[in-house]
Amino acid sequence: PQKQLVNVTFLLRDGKKQQVKAKVGDNLLDIIIENNVDIDGFGACEGTLACSTCHLIFKPEDFNKLPDKPTDEELDMLDLAFGLTETSRLGCQVIVTKDMDGLEITVPKGVSDARK
Ligand code: FES
């Protein structure tokens, strides 16, 4: 069956918004790559939970609705992310669901690669 698509908007570092079609079941790193969302340094470890460059910030109400809670590994890596917030996640660990339609996600202003 064809995968379902939902609309997700990224609020980029320069203040611009980019809305993309996100496939349900993909993670947010995949979505950003597939849609050529241009975020410098994003996803440097290609989703292997080793870099924290895929850090994204959710609105509190959206954050609380995300289906999966972060694993300890994700939390450890998030601690190293630039500009960590209470509603931060690593994009490579967040799987898109139908409920995420209309989500607006903020790209942090900076990036730090935990491997450096
Ligand atoms: Fe490196 Fe997500 S892409 S931790």
Side-chain angles (χ1 to χ4, degrees):
Q2 255 214 313
K3 283 195 177 178
Q4 274 182 285
L5 295 172
V6 296
N7 290 310
V8 173
T9 300
F10 293 100
L11 184 56
L12 302 174
R13 292 190 183 126
D14 61 5
K16 293 203 180 86
K17 290 182 183 184
Q18 185 169 349
Q19 192 186 65
V20 303
K21 300 271 182 218
K23 271 190 210 142
V24 171
D26 281 359
N27 69 53
L28 289 174
L29 171 62
D30 296 332
I31 303 301
I32 282 170
I33 293 170
E34 274 171 31
N35 289 283
N36 296 313
V37 182
D38 187 18
I39 308 171
D40 203 33
F42 197 91
C45 80
E46 296 173 341
T48 57
L49 210 47
C51 73
S52 83
T53 65
C54 62
H55 175 206
L56 294 170
I57 300 170
F58 293 83
K59 293 182 186 170
E61 62 268 31
D62 298 332
F63 181 83
N64 292 325
K65 277 189 279 181
L66 295 177
D68 299 313
K69 297 295 163 226
T71 61
D72 288 344
E73 289 78 12
E74 181 181 344
L75 291 174
D76 285 348
M77 195 50 60
L78 265 175
D79 277 338
L80 306 171
F82 178 96
L84 184 66
T85 76
E86 295 281 302
T87 58
S88 291
R89 291 292 304 266
L90 292 179
C92 69
Q93 302 300 307
V94 177
I95 307 292
V96 175
T97 67
K98 275 186 293 189
D99 295 338
M100 289 189 196
D101 196 39
L103 214 66
E104 194 174 288
I105 304 170
T106 299
V107 177
K109 291 277 181 246
V111 66
S112 62
D113 189 334
R115 299 170 303 172
K116 290 180 188 150

